[in-house]
Amino acid sequence: MTVTEHAPTAALVDRFVTGLVPMVPLLAVWAHGSLATGDYQPGRSDLDLVAVLSRPCSPEEESGLTLMHERLGAAVPLAAKLHCGYVVTTELDDPARPHLAWAHEEVTHRPITPVTRRELHEFGLVLYGPPPATLLPPVTDEELAGFVAWDLREFWRPLLDRPDLWLRDIWVDAAMLTLARATVTLREGRLVTKHRALAVLREMGAPTRVVDDIERRRYARPGPAQDDGWPTLRAELTVAFLASEIDAVSGRSRA
């Protein structure tokens, strides 16, 4: 599904971009992730956007952006899924540099990662201004592989020691799908959608109940109700699988 196939999402994105134009020195707005790849699931998938600016926002402009996001979230429930990074065009050449962003209904700072950059080049949906290739430096296969290996090793692996996280759907889904997508990138040098990542997890021998659980929640696949002990069992199965696979990836990437 694309943004134009779901009227409420299309209306939200149009309202958001229209609001940005007079508020900040806007050069472009692009969509990546599920919205750009055709894997978008209304109400389940995030709306991942990048806004390119000609200069940094002033404090007043930052306050205006925050207010706009808050008002949009209050008026349109779907806006809770809308995330946007605000990057100055002169800073696009540094994948590690954090930029102003709105994510998970709050102001934060985060980088435009090599994975996001590659997604923008391959699938990026232009919502305003020129396409990504005109402003965004390309990502080499080596840079992409290096980042996904680092992300598994340095970000995800330490989190396996946080048992509280793995009782939550969002962490199970994100980690398992990230692992599968990273595995394909490291093996074949390409990106795959989250839907394809579910099949990859099955090919990797991931716990069937965990993969079925993710698929059911993300794609409304019918299945039996889980018992009260499922979150704890799911956490145990997920952490054990992730630890084994991430350690294997780390060993190969350092070899």
Side-chain angles (χ1 to χ4, degrees):
M1 175 178 290
T2 64
V3 63
T4 57
E5 295 173 334
H6 186 249
T9 301
L12 170 61
V13 170
D14 182 68
R15 180 174 174 178
F16 173 69
V17 174
T18 299
L20 278 185
V21 172
M23 184 173 295
V24 294
L26 192 65
L27 295 178
V29 182
W30 307 318
H32 61 99
S34 300
L35 199 61
T37 62
D39 194 33
Y40 178 68
Q41 301 294 308
R44 296 185 178 93
S45 301
D46 290 333
L47 304 173
D48 296 312
L49 309 179
V50 171
V52 183
L53 311 179
S54 62
R55 58 166 174 77
C57 287
S58 67
E60 293 76 18
E61 288 167 340
E62 286 193 24
S63 296
L65 282 174
T66 299
L67 184 59
M68 183 187 72
H69 278 288
E70 290 175 343
R71 287 177 172 172
L72 197 57
V76 184
L78 194 61
K81 294 285 189 178
L82 192 153
H83 309 314
C84 187
Y86 296 90
V87 55
V88 179
T89 184
T90 55
E91 299 173 355
L92 278 169
D93 60 345
D94 184 358
R97 181 168 184 157
H99 306 283
L100 176 70
W102 179 266
H104 304 291
E105 302 181 90
E106 64 180 8
V107 174
T108 185
H109 289 80
R110 61 186 189 181
I112 309 298
T113 71
V115 170
T116 295
R117 291 162 182 262
R118 178 62 70 87
E119 281 186 348
L120 285 167
H121 274 284
E122 292 192 1
F123 314 111
L125 179 63
V126 177
L127 304 175
Y128 178 86
T134 65
L135 298 173
L136 188 67
V139 179
T140 67
D141 291 346
E142 291 76 14
E143 290 170 334
L144 183 63
F147 172 77
V148 299
W150 175 89
D151 186 53
L152 290 176
R153 183 177 65 248
E154 302 298 334
F155 179 77
W156 289 106
R157 187 60 173 88
L159 292 181
L160 298 184
D161 294 326
R162 292 272 309 277
D164 57 305
L165 298 181
W166 305 104
L167 296 173
R168 299 170 58 189
D169 295 346
I170 189 171
W171 286 98
V172 171
D173 293 7
M176 292 290 279
L177 294 173
T178 295
L179 171 66
R181 299 178 79 193
T183 298
V184 174
T185 297
L186 291 170
R187 185 175 61 207
E188 304 174 21
R190 63 187 181 93
L191 302 178
V192 295
T193 66
K194 291 178 180 178
H195 191 267
R196 170 57 186 152
L198 289 169
V200 173
L201 284 170
R202 298 186 194 282
E203 294 164 5
M204 294 170 67
T208 299
R209 286 188 65 186
V210 175
V211 181
D212 286 347
D213 182 61
I214 297 171
E215 186 171 14
R216 180 167 51 250
R217 284 183 289 97
R218 293 188 65 86
Y219 299 98
R221 178 176 176 269
Q226 303 290 359
D227 57 52
D228 292 342
W230 172 238
T232 299
L233 175 59
R234 184 185 65 179
E236 294 171 354
L237 293 171
T238 298
V239 168
F241 178 73
L242 288 172
S244 174
E245 292 298 321
I246 293 174
D247 288 347
V249 168
S250 297
R252 289 193 296 271
S253 65
R254 287 170 169 166

